[in-house]
Amino acid sequence: MCIRDRCFDCNNWFHIRCVGFIMKRSRREKYRCGPCTVTFTELQKLEQQHQREMEEERARAEATRKAVKKVKVEQQVSKKAQVEDPDPKPKRPMSAWFLYLNSVRSGLMRANPELDICAVTTLAAQGWREMDSEERAEFDDQAKELRQAYDVEMKGYRKRHKPKKSEKKRKGRIDILVDQYFLEISKRKKPEEKKTEPKNRKRSKLSPHNTNLPVKKALSETRIKELEKQVESLALLMPDHNLVVFEICLAPPKDEDVPWAVDDMIETMQCMAHDYPALSSACEQAKDAKENFDMNSMSNSVELFNATMMFVNPAKGDGIVPVPTPPNAAQTLHLQNLVYHRVVKNPQALNKYQGFSDEVYGEAQHPLISELIQTVPIAKDMVFIDLGSGIGQVVMQVAAQAQCKMSHGIELSDLPAQYAQAMESEFRSVTKQYGKCHGDFSLIQGNFLDPETLSAQMLGEADVIFVNNVAFGAETNQQLLERFTALKEGTKIISMRSFATQVGGRGRLLNTGVHAGEGAFKFRCSCGLTGVSHYSRDLVDCIQCGVWQHRRCAGVSTDEECSQFLCKQCHRYMEKQVSMKDGMSMDVLGPFYSKAQNAVSWTSAPVSYFIHTIGRKSTEVAKPACATEY
C-alpha cells in the first residue's frame, strides 16, 4: 500500500515519497502543495499589509488624541489668565456643615496648636456628628437663607445673559480638530480618480537612452562661450598636506571621450570622503555648483573642503607623515582611473595586434578582480602573479585592494609594457599623495614561458596565479602546464578557460533579479520535491545552477552562512582532474559565472572563469558543501 498525504488547503492527495516527508504520520508537519504555497504566501503579504494600515490608523488616532488633550490644557490655562468678568456668575451657597466648620475652626486651632488642619477638621466632624437636631437648626436656617438669596441672584443673572435665538453655537478647537480628522479619513477611503488624457492631445516620443532621466535644458551658445572664458585654478589639500591644482572650466567638453577636470576634482573629493565623512558636505556643494554652472559656489566648496581637511587631518609637525591606510574597492578604482588617464594618452594604440595570436590584448576589469579577491580569496600573506599583465591594472589593483605581500606582472608586448612602467611610477606617487598604502609589486617585460623571466623560484613562492588564456592556443596552454609543475601544493590558478578537456557546460539557470522576498524561483531538491517556491531561511541556492533546495537535505545547518554552496550535481560536473608530471595533479573547478557587469574589456556579456588547485595525483576527490573550501 502506498502511503499518501493530503494538502492542508486544497485537500488533494500526494505520495509521501514525492513530497519528501519521511517522518511518521503522527509527527508529520502540515503539508501544502506548490500552488497552495504561492497562494498562502500572497495571503500572508495581504495580511501584513492590512496590519501595517491598522497600525498607521492607530498612530493617527493617538496623534489626534494627544492634540485634543493639548488643546484642553491650553483652554484651562487661558481660563485662568482671563480678565475678571464685570458681571460674574453668583457662587453656590455654603451648606450647614461648612457654616458650622467655619464657626468652630479658629477655636479648635487655638485649643490644639499641635494639630494640623486635617486633624482639626476631624475633631470638628466628630462634634458635628454628636450635635442633636435642635443645635443644628441654627446652621440649617442660615443655609436656607443663603440658598434663597442665591436663587434670586441666579434668576437675575440668567435674564441678563440669556442667549439670542439668531446666534448659533460656535465650535471649539477640539470640535474643529475632530472634524478635520474624520474628513481626512473620508478622503482616504475614496478611490483615486483615473486621470485620462484628452483624445486630441499629441504624445511626444521619449529618447530610448534617457527615458527615466529628467530632461535638462540645453545651454545656449552665448552661455557656453561665457563659461569657456571662466577658467580658474582650484587647489585641493591632500591627506599628505600637499596641494593638487585643477584647471576648472564649467563649460561641458565638446568631445565626450576627453576627461572633464570638474569630474576628476569631484571624484577626488568623494574618494577622500570615504576616509573623512566630514568632507561629504563639501562634495555635495561641488555637485550642485557643477549642475548650476556656478563658479563662485565651486570655489566656496573647495575652500570648505580644504578647511575641513585641515580640521580632520591636522599636520603632525615637521617631518611627520600621516600613517597611510589601505584603500577600499571604490578608492582603488578611482586611483586606477586617475593613473590611466594621466599615462595612457592613446588607448586605441593598445588594440593594434596580430589577430588570432597569443598577443591579442584584453583586460580584466575592476569588478571581476574585486569578485575574485573575495571568492578565492586573495589575502595579505600571499604572492600573486599575473601572466600577461598588459599595462598592469590587475597587479596594481591586487596590490592595493588585497594588500598582497608581493605581486608580479609579466607582459610580452612592447607598447603595453612601456605603459606599465610609466603607470607603476605614477601609481606609487598617487597612492602616497592620497595617503594610501599598497603591497609591493613589480611589472616585468618578457615571456612568461622563458625560465629566465619567470623563474622556478618565483613560481614556487606563488600562492595565486591569474592567466587570461582566452586567446591562447593549445600549444601555449600545454607549455603553461609544464611550467606549473614548479608550483607548490595548494597554489590556485584562475583562468578564463579551463586547462582540462572542454566538454561544454550547462550554464547558470536564469534567476535574474531574484533575492530574498522578490518573486518566485526554481526549486529542485534531492528529496524529490520540485517546482516553484519562495525565499525561506531553510533554503540554500547553488552558485552554479542557481536552483534552490532544502538545507537539511544538502547537509547545511540553518545557522551556517553558506553563500558559496555547490550542489552535488554541479559538483560532479564541474570537478575534473588534470594529470601533470612528477606525480602532480591539478583539480579543476568551474565554470563559475561572474555576477560582475562589464567584467572584461572585450565583451559586455557575462563571463566565466575556472579555479585550478595544484595537488598530488589522486583518484578520489573530496566533495565539500561550499565552494569556498577549494
Side-chain angles (χ1 to χ4, degrees):
M1 180 179 178
C2 183
I3 302 177
R4 298 180 297 170
D5 192 14
R6 178 182 291 178
C7 176
F8 181 70
D9 290 332
C10 63
N11 293 328
N12 292 328
W13 290 88
F14 298 87
H15 293 126
I16 289 293
R17 64 175 183 273
C18 297
V19 300
F21 287 120
I22 59 175
M23 295 181 290
K24 295 181 180 179
R25 184 178 181 84
S26 59
R27 301 177 61 186
R28 193 164 63 242
E29 300 176 352
K30 292 180 180 179
Y31 169 71
R32 282 188 177 89
C33 61
C36 293
T37 302
V38 176
T39 306
F40 181 73
T41 306
E42 293 176 354
L43 291 175
Q44 283 183 331
K45 291 182 180 179
L46 292 175
E47 185 178 356
Q48 292 176 359
Q49 182 180 0
H50 179 68
Q51 290 180 356
R52 288 194 297 269
E53 292 177 355
M54 292 297 294
E55 291 176 357
E56 293 175 358
E57 190 72 23
R58 294 193 196 98
R60 284 191 289 269
E62 182 66 19
T64 305
R65 187 188 64 79
K66 291 182 179 179
V68 171
K69 184 177 180 181
K70 183 178 180 181
V71 171
K72 287 183 177 180
V73 173
E74 292 176 356
Q75 288 179 351
Q76 292 176 359
V77 173
S78 62
K79 285 182 179 179
K80 294 180 180 179
Q82 287 179 354
V83 184
E84 293 185 1
D85 192 359
D87 187 11
K89 186 177 180 179
K91 294 184 178 181
R92 291 181 178 276
M94 289 187 292
S95 62
W97 151 248
F98 281 102
L99 293 173
Y100 166 76
L101 179 62
N102 290 337
S103 62
V104 300
R105 183 189 294 115
S106 58
L108 291 174
M109 292 180 67
R110 286 194 298 269
N112 303 286
E114 72 277 6
L115 299 180
D116 56 357
I117 188 64
C118 296
V120 170
T121 306
T122 304
L123 288 177
Q126 185 178 0
W128 175 259
R129 287 192 296 270
E130 294 176 355
M131 291 176 62
D132 54 7
S133 57
E134 296 178 356
E135 294 176 347
R136 288 187 180 184
E138 179 183 358
F139 300 101
D140 292 334
D141 295 340
Q142 295 180 10
K144 188 176 180 180
E145 294 175 359
L146 293 175
R147 183 67 186 181
Q148 292 176 355
Y150 170 77
D151 292 340
V152 174
E153 291 179 359
M154 280 300 300
K155 188 175 181 180
Y157 179 83
R158 292 191 185 99
K159 288 183 180 180
R160 293 192 301 272
H161 294 275
K162 185 177 181 180
K164 298 180 181 179
K165 295 182 179 180
S166 60
E167 293 184 357
K168 295 183 180 179
K169 185 179 180 181
R170 295 182 180 180
K171 291 186 177 181
R173 292 182 60 186
I174 300 177
D175 299 329
I176 294 174
L177 286 174
V178 173
D179 292 344
Q180 290 179 354
Y181 170 71
F182 285 106
L183 181 62
E184 181 184 353
I185 292 177
S186 62
K187 288 182 179 180
R188 188 167 57 253
K189 289 183 179 179
K190 291 181 180 179
E192 297 182 357
E193 298 180 358
K194 295 183 179 179
K195 297 181 179 179
T196 57
E197 297 181 355
K199 294 182 179 180
N200 297 330
R201 182 177 179 181
K202 295 182 180 180
R203 298 182 180 179
S204 58
K205 294 184 178 180
L206 296 177
S207 172
H209 302 289
N210 300 322
T211 54
N212 296 327
L213 298 176
V215 180
K216 295 183 179 180
K217 295 182 179 180
L219 294 175
S220 61
E221 294 183 359
T222 55
R223 178 57 176 164
I224 292 176
K225 291 180 180 180
E226 292 177 359
L227 293 175
E228 289 177 350
K229 295 179 182 179
Q230 299 177 2
V231 180
E232 290 191 13
S233 298
L234 301 179
L236 283 182
L237 183 65
M238 306 302 289
D240 61 348
H241 299 286
N242 292 324
L243 295 175
V244 177
V245 181
F246 293 88
E247 296 293 333
I248 300 301
C249 178
L250 295 180
K254 297 179 180 179
D255 188 1
E256 295 181 357
D257 297 333
V258 177
W260 197 4
V262 178
D263 291 336
D264 293 342
M265 186 183 72
I266 293 176
E267 289 177 2
T268 302
M269 298 167 70
Q270 290 176 340
C271 178
M272 286 181 283
H274 285 287
D275 297 328
Y276 307 103
L279 302 173
S280 301
S281 58
C283 298
E284 296 297 330
Q285 185 176 350
K287 288 181 183 179
D288 296 339
K290 174 193 169 185
E291 293 178 357
N292 299 325
F293 304 100
D294 189 356
M295 184 62 74
N296 294 330
S297 180
M298 184 67 71
S299 302
N300 295 335
S301 66
V302 173
E303 292 178 1
L304 176 62
F305 181 89
N306 294 338
T308 309
M309 178 63 75
M310 288 293 296
F311 178 76
V312 298
N313 185 28
K316 306 296 182 181
D318 296 337
I320 299 178
V321 181
V323 179
T325 58
N328 56 25
Q331 292 172 336
T332 306
L333 177 60
H334 172 70
L335 295 176
Q336 285 183 279
N337 292 337
L338 185 63
V339 173
Y340 181 84
H341 291 308
R342 288 183 181 180
V343 175
V344 182
K345 301 299 182 181
N346 186 15
Q348 299 298 331
L350 294 172
N351 295 327
K352 296 180 180 180
Y353 48 78
Q354 183 180 357
F356 304 100
S357 65
D358 293 347
E359 297 183 5
V360 174
Y361 185 78
E363 295 181 358
Q365 301 292 351
H366 185 276
L368 176 61
I369 303 303
S370 298
E371 181 179 335
L372 293 176
I373 291 174
Q374 299 293 331
T375 304
V376 173
I378 304 176
K380 282 186 176 181
D381 55 347
M382 291 184 176
V383 176
F384 176 82
I385 300 178
D386 183 9
L387 303 181
S389 58
I391 60 176
Q393 291 275 57
V394 175
V395 177
M396 290 184 289
Q397 180 180 351
V398 172
Q401 192 170 338
Q403 298 287 310
C404 282
K405 179 173 61 176
M406 187 64 193
S407 302
H408 300 284
I410 302 175
E411 174 58 35
L412 178 62
S413 302
D414 295 333
L415 183 60
Q418 293 175 5
Y419 277 135
Q421 297 299 324
M423 290 190 68
E424 178 181 356
S425 59
E426 185 68 22
F427 186 79
R428 294 182 187 275
S429 62
V430 167
T431 51
K432 182 179 179 181
Q433 188 179 50
Y434 276 70
K436 299 298 175 183
C437 62
H438 58 79
D440 194 9
F441 67 96
S442 63
L443 300 174
I444 307 169
Q445 181 179 6
N447 190 354
F448 52 74
L449 299 176
D450 187 2
E452 295 182 359
T453 304
L454 182 60
S455 62
Q457 180 182 359
M458 188 184 298
L459 284 172
E461 295 175 353
D463 296 294
V464 179
I465 294 179
F466 178 77
V467 53
N468 182 7
N469 60 344
V470 171
F472 289 178
E475 184 179 357
T476 305
N477 285 331
Q478 186 61 34
Q479 292 175 356
L480 278 174
L481 283 176
E482 295 176 359
R483 295 303 315 274
F484 290 161
T485 56
L487 297 173
K488 61 184 178 181
E489 187 176 357
T491 302
K492 296 184 182 297
I493 304 170
I494 307 169
S495 64
M496 308 305 291
R497 288 179 60 189
S498 174
F499 288 97
T501 304
Q502 300 298 313
V503 293
R506 291 182 300 153
R508 186 176 178 86
L509 297 178
L510 294 179
N511 279 337
T512 57
V514 177
H515 302 285
E518 295 184 17
F521 44 75
K522 192 169 183 179
F523 181 86
R524 182 181 66 245
C525 187
S526 58
C527 65
L529 188 62
T530 61
V532 178
S533 182
H534 290 264
Y535 176 78
S536 174
R537 182 67 180 170
D538 299 330
L539 303 180
V540 63
D541 66 326
C542 175
I543 62 172
Q544 171 61 16
C545 63
V547 178
W548 294 69
Q549 58 181 304
H550 297 126
R551 281 178 174 261
R552 64 175 182 272
C553 300
V556 182
S557 63
T558 308
D559 300 333
E560 181 179 356
E561 292 292 340
C562 191
S563 59
Q564 298 292 326
F565 172 74
L566 194 65
C567 66
K568 293 181 180 179
Q569 189 172 357
C570 291
H571 195 282
R572 286 195 299 269
Y573 160 72
M574 296 173 64
E575 189 179 61
K576 304 176 185 68
Q577 193 176 78
V578 180
S579 299
M580 302 171 66
K581 296 180 180 180
D582 302 330
M584 302 292 289
S585 66
M586 179 188 293
D587 298 332
V588 185
L589 192 63
F592 291 98
Y593 288 84
S594 176
K595 300 178 182 178
Q597 296 181 353
N598 299 324
V600 291
S601 61
W602 61 86
T603 180
S604 59
V607 297
S608 59
Y609 57 90
F610 296 80
I611 299 178
H612 310 71
T613 305
I614 300 297
R616 294 293 175 184
K617 188 175 181 180
S618 59
T619 56
E620 296 183 358
V621 185
K623 298 180 180 179
C626 294
T628 52
E629 300 177 9
Y630 298 118

